[in-house]
Amino acid sequence: MNQKRLELIKSKLADFEIELSDINGTPAIITNPANIIIICSILKTDLDISFEMLLDVMGVDNFQKEKRFEVVCSLYSLKYKDRIFIKVPLDSKNPEMPSLTAVWKGANWFERETFDMFGIKFTGHPDLRRIYMPEEYEHFPLRKDFPLLGIPDSIYLPKK
Amino acid sequence: MGLEDKLSKDGFFTSKIDALIQWSRSNSVWPMPMGISCCAIEMMAAASARFDISRFGSEVFRFSPRQSDVMIVAGTVTYKMSKVVRKIYDQMPDPKWVIAMGACTSSGGMYRTYSVVQGIDQFLPVDLYVAGCPPRPENLLNSLIILQERIKKGEKTASENI
Protein backbone atom coordinates (compact mmCIF):
# COMPACT_ATOMS: atom_id res chain seq x y z
CA MET A 1 0.00 0.00 0.00
CA ASN A 2 1.38 3.40 -0.92
CA GLN A 3 1.90 6.22 1.53
CA LYS A 4 -0.76 8.41 -0.10
CA ARG A 5 -3.49 5.87 0.44
CA LEU A 6 -2.40 5.28 4.00
CA GLU A 7 -2.59 9.03 4.72
CA LEU A 8 -6.09 9.07 3.24
CA ILE A 9 -7.22 6.24 5.50
CA LYS A 10 -5.65 8.04 8.46
CA SER A 11 -7.50 11.28 7.68
CA LYS A 12 -10.84 9.51 7.24
CA LEU A 13 -10.42 7.87 10.64
CA ALA A 14 -9.15 11.02 12.36
CA ASP A 15 -12.12 11.12 14.75
CA PHE A 16 -11.23 7.83 16.39
CA GLU A 17 -8.51 6.66 18.72
CA ILE A 18 -6.36 4.54 16.47
CA GLU A 19 -2.74 3.54 16.24
CA LEU A 20 -1.04 2.50 13.06
CA SER A 21 1.60 -0.15 12.85
CA ASP A 22 3.20 -2.23 10.15
CA ILE A 23 3.19 -6.03 9.82
CA ASN A 24 5.69 -7.12 7.17
CA GLY A 25 4.66 -4.32 4.83
CA THR A 26 0.93 -4.52 5.51
CA PRO A 27 -0.50 -1.68 7.63
CA ALA A 28 -2.43 -2.53 10.77
CA ILE A 29 -4.95 -0.39 12.62
CA ILE A 30 -4.90 -0.95 16.36
CA THR A 31 -8.08 0.20 18.04
CA ASN A 32 -10.37 -0.46 20.98
CA PRO A 33 -13.62 -2.45 20.73
CA ALA A 34 -15.90 0.55 21.35
CA ASN A 35 -15.49 2.10 17.89
CA ILE A 36 -14.87 -1.02 15.89
CA ILE A 37 -18.22 -1.15 14.09
CA ILE A 38 -18.03 2.46 12.91
CA ILE A 39 -14.41 2.11 11.83
CA CYS A 40 -15.19 -1.09 9.92
CA SER A 41 -18.21 0.38 8.18
CA ILE A 42 -16.15 3.41 7.10
CA LEU A 43 -13.43 1.13 5.79
CA LYS A 44 -15.98 -0.92 3.90
CA THR A 45 -18.36 1.69 2.52
CA ASP A 46 -16.15 4.74 1.86
CA LEU A 47 -15.55 4.69 -1.89
CA ASP A 48 -12.00 6.03 -1.59
CA ILE A 49 -10.98 3.32 0.88
CA SER A 50 -13.29 0.48 -0.10
CA PHE A 51 -12.15 -2.59 1.85
CA GLU A 52 -15.10 -4.66 0.71
CA MET A 53 -13.89 -8.08 1.67
CA LEU A 54 -13.35 -9.63 5.10
CA LEU A 55 -10.74 -12.35 4.62
CA ASP A 56 -10.45 -13.70 8.14
CA VAL A 57 -11.06 -13.08 11.82
CA MET A 58 -8.42 -14.57 14.10
CA GLY A 59 -7.81 -14.71 17.82
CA VAL A 60 -4.47 -14.29 19.56
CA ASP A 61 -3.60 -15.18 23.14
CA ASN A 62 -0.71 -13.04 24.42
CA PHE A 63 -0.54 -14.94 27.68
CA GLN A 64 1.74 -12.64 29.71
CA LYS A 65 0.37 -9.29 28.59
CA GLU A 66 -2.07 -7.19 30.56
CA LYS A 67 -4.55 -7.20 27.69
CA ARG A 68 -4.29 -10.89 27.05
CA PHE A 69 -6.51 -11.45 24.05
CA GLU A 70 -6.48 -9.85 20.67
CA VAL A 71 -8.76 -10.18 17.67
CA VAL A 72 -7.12 -9.67 14.28
CA CYS A 73 -9.25 -9.02 11.19
CA SER A 74 -7.80 -9.19 7.74
CA LEU A 75 -9.43 -7.00 5.07
CA TYR A 76 -8.91 -6.88 1.33
CA SER A 77 -9.82 -4.18 -1.17
CA LEU A 78 -11.01 -5.60 -4.47
CA LYS A 79 -10.90 -2.13 -5.98
CA TYR A 80 -7.36 -1.11 -4.99
CA LYS A 81 -5.97 -4.67 -4.62
CA ASP A 82 -4.36 -4.28 -1.21
CA ARG A 83 -4.96 -5.42 2.31
CA ILE A 84 -5.04 -4.12 5.86
CA PHE A 85 -5.26 -5.61 9.35
CA ILE A 86 -7.40 -4.44 12.23
CA LYS A 87 -6.17 -5.41 15.67
CA VAL A 88 -8.38 -5.18 18.73
CA PRO A 89 -6.74 -5.88 22.12
CA LEU A 90 -9.27 -7.23 24.62
CA ASP A 91 -9.57 -7.67 28.38
CA SER A 92 -8.08 -10.74 30.00
CA LYS A 93 -11.00 -11.53 32.28
CA ASN A 94 -13.99 -10.99 30.07
CA PRO A 95 -12.90 -10.75 26.43
CA GLU A 96 -15.80 -9.26 24.53
CA MET A 97 -16.25 -7.18 21.40
CA PRO A 98 -19.09 -6.22 19.05
CA SER A 99 -19.76 -8.67 16.27
CA LEU A 100 -18.64 -7.71 12.78
CA THR A 101 -21.61 -9.55 11.24
CA ALA A 102 -23.34 -6.15 11.22
CA VAL A 103 -20.82 -5.03 8.58
CA TRP A 104 -19.77 -8.27 6.86
CA LYS A 105 -22.16 -11.22 6.99
CA GLY A 106 -19.23 -13.52 6.32
CA ALA A 107 -17.87 -12.78 9.76
CA ASN A 108 -20.40 -15.24 11.19
CA TRP A 109 -18.34 -18.44 11.06
CA PHE A 110 -14.98 -16.73 11.61
CA GLU A 111 -16.31 -15.36 14.87
CA ARG A 112 -17.79 -18.69 15.86
CA GLU A 113 -14.36 -20.23 15.36
CA THR A 114 -12.66 -17.52 17.42
CA PHE A 115 -15.26 -17.99 20.13
CA ASP A 116 -14.77 -21.76 20.06
CA MET A 117 -10.98 -21.64 20.32
CA PHE A 118 -10.41 -18.62 22.59
CA GLY A 119 -13.72 -17.94 24.35
CA ILE A 120 -13.94 -14.40 22.99
CA LYS A 121 -17.57 -13.27 23.04
CA PHE A 122 -18.98 -11.31 20.11
CA THR A 123 -21.98 -9.27 21.22
CA GLY A 124 -24.77 -9.05 18.67
CA HIS A 125 -23.70 -12.20 16.87
CA PRO A 126 -26.78 -13.99 15.44
CA ASP A 127 -25.70 -17.53 16.33
CA LEU A 128 -22.70 -17.73 18.66
CA ARG A 129 -22.29 -21.50 19.06
CA ARG A 130 -19.17 -23.66 18.99
CA ILE A 131 -18.19 -24.64 15.49
CA TYR A 132 -15.45 -27.31 15.92
CA MET A 133 -15.69 -28.73 19.43
CA PRO A 134 -18.79 -30.52 20.80
CA GLU A 135 -21.40 -28.04 21.96
CA GLU A 136 -21.31 -29.18 25.58
CA TYR A 137 -17.52 -28.69 25.79
CA GLU A 138 -16.41 -26.28 28.50
CA HIS A 139 -12.83 -25.34 27.64
CA PHE A 140 -11.10 -23.21 25.01
CA PRO A 141 -8.38 -25.25 23.28
CA LEU A 142 -6.16 -22.56 21.76
CA ARG A 143 -5.65 -20.63 24.99
CA LYS A 144 -2.07 -20.87 26.20
CA ASP A 145 -3.05 -22.43 29.54
CA PHE A 146 -4.81 -25.34 27.81
CA PRO A 147 -2.73 -28.57 27.81
CA LEU A 148 -1.80 -30.02 24.40
CA LEU A 149 -3.53 -33.35 24.96
CA GLY A 150 -6.65 -31.75 26.41
CA ILE A 151 -8.27 -32.26 29.77
CA PRO A 152 -8.91 -35.97 30.49
CA ASP A 153 -12.59 -37.02 30.42
CA SER A 154 -13.71 -33.57 29.37
CA ILE A 155 -15.13 -34.87 26.06
CA TYR A 156 -17.66 -37.67 25.95
CA LEU A 157 -16.31 -40.95 24.59
CA PRO A 158 -18.55 -44.01 24.06
CA LYS A 159 -17.99 -46.88 26.48
CA LYS A 160 -16.19 -49.97 25.22
CA MET B 1 -8.45 -82.57 -3.88
CA GLY B 2 -9.70 -84.85 -1.17
CA LEU B 3 -13.05 -83.18 -1.00
CA GLU B 4 -13.69 -83.62 -4.73
CA ASP B 5 -12.65 -87.27 -4.55
CA LYS B 6 -15.04 -87.92 -1.72
CA LEU B 7 -17.90 -86.12 -3.37
CA SER B 8 -17.49 -87.80 -6.75
CA LYS B 9 -17.24 -91.32 -5.25
CA ASP B 10 -19.58 -91.25 -2.27
CA GLY B 11 -21.69 -88.20 -3.00
CA PHE B 12 -21.29 -87.00 0.60
CA PHE B 13 -18.68 -86.22 3.23
CA THR B 14 -18.66 -85.84 6.98
CA SER B 15 -17.47 -82.80 8.91
CA LYS B 16 -18.29 -80.72 11.93
CA ILE B 17 -20.98 -78.13 11.35
CA ASP B 18 -18.76 -75.58 13.13
CA ALA B 19 -15.93 -76.22 10.69
CA LEU B 20 -18.29 -75.74 7.76
CA ILE B 21 -19.68 -72.49 9.15
CA GLN B 22 -16.22 -71.16 9.97
CA TRP B 23 -14.96 -72.08 6.51
CA SER B 24 -17.82 -70.31 4.77
CA ARG B 25 -17.64 -67.34 7.12
CA SER B 26 -13.92 -66.87 6.62
CA ASN B 27 -14.32 -66.71 2.84
CA SER B 28 -17.09 -64.14 2.86
CA VAL B 29 -15.88 -61.45 5.25
CA TRP B 30 -17.78 -58.41 4.01
CA PRO B 31 -16.18 -55.17 5.07
CA MET B 32 -17.89 -52.05 6.33
CA PRO B 33 -15.61 -49.29 4.97
CA MET B 34 -15.27 -46.69 7.71
CA GLY B 35 -13.07 -44.44 5.57
CA ILE B 36 -12.49 -41.28 7.57
CA SER B 37 -9.31 -39.91 6.01
CA CYS B 38 -6.29 -40.75 3.85
CA CYS B 39 -6.09 -44.46 4.81
CA ALA B 40 -9.39 -44.81 2.94
CA ILE B 41 -7.52 -44.13 -0.31
CA GLU B 42 -5.33 -47.18 0.30
CA MET B 43 -8.41 -49.15 1.30
CA MET B 44 -9.97 -48.24 -2.06
CA ALA B 45 -6.76 -49.32 -3.79
CA ALA B 46 -6.97 -52.66 -1.98
CA ALA B 47 -10.53 -53.02 -3.24
CA SER B 48 -9.84 -52.21 -6.87
CA ALA B 49 -8.29 -54.21 -9.68
CA ARG B 50 -4.56 -54.12 -8.92
CA PHE B 51 -4.71 -55.52 -5.40
CA ASP B 52 -8.21 -56.96 -5.65
CA ILE B 53 -9.56 -57.79 -2.21
CA SER B 54 -12.18 -59.99 -3.89
CA ARG B 55 -9.56 -62.75 -4.21
CA PHE B 56 -10.25 -63.31 -0.52
CA GLY B 57 -14.02 -63.10 -0.69
CA SER B 58 -14.29 -59.53 0.56
CA GLU B 59 -15.21 -57.75 -2.63
CA VAL B 60 -18.58 -56.53 -1.41
CA PHE B 61 -17.95 -53.32 0.49
CA ARG B 62 -21.26 -52.87 2.23
CA PHE B 63 -22.21 -49.32 3.02
CA SER B 64 -24.81 -50.59 5.42
CA PRO B 65 -23.52 -51.87 8.77
CA ARG B 66 -26.38 -54.39 8.88
CA GLN B 67 -24.92 -56.39 6.01
CA SER B 68 -21.26 -56.39 6.99
CA ASP B 69 -18.95 -58.50 9.14
CA VAL B 70 -15.75 -56.52 9.60
CA MET B 71 -15.43 -52.80 10.10
CA ILE B 72 -12.24 -51.35 8.61
CA VAL B 73 -11.69 -48.11 10.49
CA ALA B 74 -9.41 -46.23 8.11
CA GLY B 75 -8.40 -42.81 9.33
CA THR B 76 -8.14 -40.30 12.15
CA VAL B 77 -10.99 -40.65 14.63
CA THR B 78 -11.77 -37.44 16.46
CA TYR B 79 -13.78 -37.32 19.66
CA LYS B 80 -16.68 -35.87 17.72
CA MET B 81 -16.52 -38.73 15.19
CA SER B 82 -16.17 -41.43 17.86
CA LYS B 83 -19.90 -41.38 18.60
CA VAL B 84 -20.66 -42.01 14.94
CA VAL B 85 -18.12 -44.85 14.64
CA ARG B 86 -19.50 -46.52 17.75
CA LYS B 87 -23.08 -46.12 16.56
CA ILE B 88 -22.30 -47.81 13.26
CA TYR B 89 -20.35 -50.56 15.03
CA ASP B 90 -23.31 -51.20 17.33
CA GLN B 91 -25.57 -51.73 14.32
CA MET B 92 -23.44 -54.54 12.88
CA PRO B 93 -24.75 -58.07 13.46
CA ASP B 94 -22.68 -60.58 15.45
CA PRO B 95 -20.12 -62.02 14.89
CA LYS B 96 -18.27 -58.83 14.05
CA TRP B 97 -14.67 -57.82 13.79
CA VAL B 98 -12.78 -54.53 13.75
CA ILE B 99 -9.61 -53.76 11.83
CA ALA B 100 -7.83 -50.60 12.98
CA MET B 101 -6.06 -49.47 9.83
CA GLY B 102 -3.10 -47.13 10.12
CA ALA B 103 -1.25 -45.19 12.79
CA CYS B 104 -3.95 -42.59 13.55
CA THR B 105 -6.61 -45.19 14.16
CA SER B 106 -4.37 -47.43 16.25
CA SER B 107 -2.70 -44.80 18.43
CA GLY B 108 -3.61 -41.28 17.34
CA GLY B 109 -0.51 -41.27 15.15
CA MET B 110 0.95 -37.87 14.43
CA TYR B 111 -2.17 -36.17 15.81
CA ARG B 112 -1.05 -35.96 19.41
CA THR B 113 -3.68 -33.40 20.23
CA TYR B 114 -6.81 -32.69 22.26
CA SER B 115 -9.36 -33.39 19.53
CA VAL B 116 -8.16 -36.82 18.37
CA VAL B 117 -8.85 -40.11 20.17
CA GLN B 118 -5.45 -41.65 20.95
CA GLY B 119 -6.33 -45.11 19.66
CA ILE B 120 -9.80 -46.39 18.87
CA ASP B 121 -9.35 -49.25 21.34
CA GLN B 122 -10.52 -46.73 23.94
CA PHE B 123 -14.08 -47.20 22.75
CA LEU B 124 -14.09 -50.20 20.37
CA PRO B 125 -12.89 -53.80 20.76
CA VAL B 126 -10.19 -54.04 18.09
CA ASP B 127 -9.18 -57.37 16.54
CA LEU B 128 -6.30 -56.30 14.34
CA TYR B 129 -4.03 -53.30 14.09
CA VAL B 130 -2.47 -52.54 10.72
CA ALA B 131 0.82 -50.65 10.85
CA GLY B 132 1.70 -47.90 8.40
CA CYS B 133 0.91 -44.30 7.61
CA PRO B 134 -0.98 -45.10 5.48
CA PRO B 135 -0.49 -48.90 5.26
CA ARG B 136 0.18 -50.38 1.84
CA PRO B 137 -2.78 -52.29 0.37
CA GLU B 138 -0.75 -55.52 0.76
CA ASN B 139 -0.63 -54.83 4.47
CA LEU B 140 -4.40 -54.52 4.65
CA LEU B 141 -4.77 -57.75 2.66
CA ASN B 142 -2.34 -59.42 5.06
CA SER B 143 -4.50 -58.39 8.00
CA LEU B 144 -7.53 -59.82 6.23
CA ILE B 145 -5.71 -63.15 5.72
CA ILE B 146 -4.75 -63.24 9.40
CA LEU B 147 -8.38 -62.55 10.26
CA GLN B 148 -9.50 -65.40 7.99
CA GLU B 149 -7.10 -67.79 9.71
CA ARG B 150 -8.48 -66.76 13.08
CA ILE B 151 -12.04 -67.31 11.91
CA LYS B 152 -11.12 -70.75 10.53
CA LYS B 153 -9.61 -71.71 13.87
CA GLY B 154 -12.79 -70.56 15.58
CA GLU B 155 -11.07 -67.97 17.76
CA LYS B 156 -13.22 -65.57 19.72
CA THR B 157 -13.71 -62.06 18.39
CA ALA B 158 -12.46 -59.11 20.39
CA SER B 159 -16.04 -58.11 21.19
CA GLU B 160 -16.70 -61.55 22.70
CA ASN B 161 -13.54 -61.30 24.78
CA ILE B 162 -14.64 -58.24 26.73
Side-chain angles (χ1 to χ4, degrees):
Chain A
M1 183 182 290
N2 61 39
Q3 202 59 37
K4 212 173 150 191
R5 189 158 147 72
L6 198 60
E7 289 300 325
L8 178 77
I9 293 169
K10 234 187 205 171
S11 64
K12 296 258 181 187
L13 298 176
D15 299 345
F16 307 103
E17 258 183 62
I18 58 162
E19 246 177 83
L20 275 176
S21 78
D22 184 272
I23 305 170
N24 296 329
T26 306
I29 298 173
I30 304 167
T31 180
N32 54 339
N35 297 324
I36 184 79
I37 292 289
I38 309 170
I39 290 176
C40 282
S41 45
I42 289 172
L43 288 177
K44 186 192 174 188
T45 50
D46 193 299
L47 290 175
D48 300 328
I49 307 178
S50 172
F51 284 106
E52 303 98 338
M53 196 172 167
L54 178 71
L55 292 179
D56 204 355
V57 176
M58 297 159 274
V60 181
D61 183 359
N62 301 306
F63 190 48
Q64 300 289 338
K65 279 193 185 167
E66 192 197 347
K67 289 214 161 183
R68 179 175 158 184
F69 295 103
E70 197 172 55
V71 169
V72 184
C73 313
S74 175
L75 308 184
Y76 184 71
S77 168
L78 297 167
K79 198 170 169 186
Y80 298 100
K81 309 245 183 303
D82 52 10
R83 42 190 94 217
I84 198 167
F85 291 115
I86 304 174
K87 288 174 134 195
V88 191
L90 296 173
D91 274 352
S92 312
K93 268 194 184 163
N94 189 23
E96 205 177 271
M97 71 172 271
S99 169
L100 296 182
T101 45
V103 188
W104 292 280
K105 271 200 171 173
N108 191 324
W109 280 21
F110 296 145
E111 286 176 355
R112 276 179 69 186
E113 182 191 357
T114 313
F115 165 71
D116 192 358
M117 293 288 126
F118 293 94
I120 294 166
K121 281 204 184 80
F122 292 90
T123 49
H125 191 283
D127 182 29
L128 198 63
R129 284 179 296 134
R130 287 183 173 272
I131 192 165
Y132 292 139
M133 303 301 287
E135 278 185 40
E136 65 275 10
Y137 196 59
E138 287 167 354
H139 310 279
F140 301 109
L142 285 192
R143 286 189 175 182
K144 293 283 181 203
D145 49 4
F146 185 85
L148 173 68
L149 272 177
I151 292 152
D153 302 322
S154 59
I155 312 181
Y156 168 81
L157 196 66
K159 288 204 175 70
K160 199 167 176 178
Chain B
M1 268 176 74
L3 190 60
E4 276 169 16
D5 255 17
K6 263 245 183 241
L7 282 175
S8 58
K9 276 181 196 160
D10 306 338
F12 68 95
F13 72 101
T14 52
S15 171
K16 284 190 289 182
I17 189 77
D18 274 354
L20 190 69
I21 289 171
Q22 281 154 15
W23 168 79
S24 52
R25 229 174 226 168
S26 72
N27 289 306
S28 60
V29 189
W30 289 6
M32 162 78 220
M34 195 71 218
I36 311 176
S37 55
C38 34
C39 280
I41 305 295
E42 298 297 296
M43 184 172 65
M44 284 183 255
S48 50
R50 189 181 174 98
F51 296 97
D52 200 8
I53 205 166
S54 63
R55 291 179 291 160
F56 309 99
S58 301
E59 68 272 36
V60 236
F61 274 67
R62 286 286 126 161
F63 291 91
S64 160
R66 286 150 214 270
Q67 299 171 350
S68 48
D69 305 297
V70 57
M71 183 156 82
I72 304 174
V73 185
T76 321
V77 183
T78 58
Y79 277 92
K80 237 181 169 177
M81 194 67 193
S82 65
K83 295 169 201 169
V84 181
V85 177
R86 180 71 208 197
K87 202 171 190 174
I88 290 172
Y89 173 79
D90 285 339
Q91 290 179 43
M92 286 166 59
D94 280 319
K96 52 190 171 185
W97 295 269
V98 176
I99 294 176
M101 182 182 178
C104 297
T105 320
S106 311
S107 68
M110 68 175 185
Y111 298 104
R112 196 177 152 70
T113 177
Y114 58 91
S115 55
V116 174
V117 182
Q118 305 292 304
I120 59 161
D121 48 8
Q122 288 181 26
F123 65 93
L124 277 184
V126 181
D127 290 274
L128 277 158
Y129 300 89
V130 186
C133 184
R136 294 275 310 163
E138 295 97 315
N139 208 352
L140 182 64
L141 293 180
N142 183 39
S143 76
L144 187 72
I145 293 164
I146 294 171
L147 189 69
Q148 285 182 333
E149 278 165 12
R150 282 192 196 169
I151 297 169
K152 273 175 195 155
K153 278 183 204 158
E155 285 182 21
K156 277 188 174 177
T157 69
S159 58
E160 286 166 343
N161 274 332
I162 289 177

